[in-house]
Amino acid sequence: MAEAERIIGTPDTPEPAAAEPEQSDAERPRGKRRIAVLFGVAAFAYALDLISKMIVVAKLEHHPPIEIIGDWLKFEAIRNAGAAFGFGEAFTVIFTVIAAAVIVVIARLARKLYSLPWAIALGLLLGGALGNLTDRIFRSPGVFEGAVVDFIAPKHFAVFNLADSAIVCGGILIVLLSFRGLDPDGTVHKD
């Protein structure tokens, strides 16, 4: 009965307040587009990493390094079971679990993603995490213990790969967005 009165209205009830004007399409958040950007960036970063590692394994592994800029930058194939600078080689399984956790967190956050810069940053993180996780799962010595293929060797620095670059760039972008007060849902806060 109450539902019928609400729909039809009764003489002694006031008219409902005028509805607020609908948001235009330009003002309405576009979650699907941002999710598409997230997964598009992730797929691009992952594909670049995967292709580069396939080329490195086929053409550079067991060969002398290739000098790109004198001895300042070389391409040198190495297998890294640890983290940056070769630390933590005994903890390969832990790095695998961390990478998997990052992927799950990003996938869950994607539902609330309305910010284009955050979509790009998280896409870079996701693509990089997937790239290194693929190595840890499918490369020798075994599942969840695989060594990551690294090949970009700047002088006096750790040897890294494109997945590592994507993770670092995504992380830097997230820090900058956080300092500017932009949240993944597109809101801006001033703290």
Side-chain angles (χ1 to χ4, degrees):
M1 176 82 176
E3 181 67 23
E5 287 177 359
R6 189 183 63 76
I7 294 172
I8 297 172
T10 58
D12 55 38
T13 59
E15 287 290 321
E20 292 183 25
E22 289 187 30
Q23 290 180 327
S24 70
D25 287 339
E27 296 171 347
R28 191 173 296 139
R30 290 189 168 86
K32 288 186 180 181
R33 183 184 309 169
R34 302 310 185 230
I35 291 172
V37 169
L38 165 75
F39 290 118
V41 169
F44 182 73
Y46 178 68
L48 278 180
D49 180 65
L50 190 63
I51 291 167
S52 68
K53 288 174 180 174
M54 290 169 61
I55 292 169
V56 165
V57 168
K59 304 285 185 184
L60 191 58
E61 204 166 45
H62 309 297
H63 291 86
I66 299 172
E67 291 185 353
I68 305 300
I69 304 174
D71 64 344
W72 287 96
L73 179 64
K74 299 184 285 187
F75 286 164
E76 178 178 11
I78 67 162
R79 298 289 180 116
N80 182 3
F85 299 99
F87 293 121
E89 289 187 12
F91 302 106
T92 305
V93 174
I94 293 172
F95 296 133
T96 305
V97 170
I98 290 170
V102 166
I103 292 166
V104 169
V105 168
I106 291 171
R108 290 183 54 93
L109 186 59
R111 295 178 298 161
K112 301 175 186 175
L113 188 62
Y114 296 107
S115 166
L116 180 63
W118 271 95
I120 293 168
L122 292 174
L124 288 169
L125 277 178
L126 181 59
L130 284 169
N132 284 339
L133 183 62
T134 300
D135 281 356
R136 300 228 184 258
I137 292 174
F138 296 109
R139 296 204 186 270
S140 62
V143 177
F144 301 117
E145 296 178 354
V148 173
V149 175
D150 288 332
F151 62 93
I152 304 169
K155 187 175 185 179
H156 305 302
F157 196 71
V159 181
F160 59 94
N161 58 43
L162 295 181
D164 298 332
S165 299
I167 291 168
V168 169
C169 290
I172 290 170
L173 185 53
I174 286 171
V175 169
L176 293 174
L177 293 171
S178 297
F179 277 128
R180 294 196 62 204
L182 181 62
D183 290 333
D185 65 1
T187 59
V188 178
H189 66 273
K190 310 256 186 218
D191 288 349

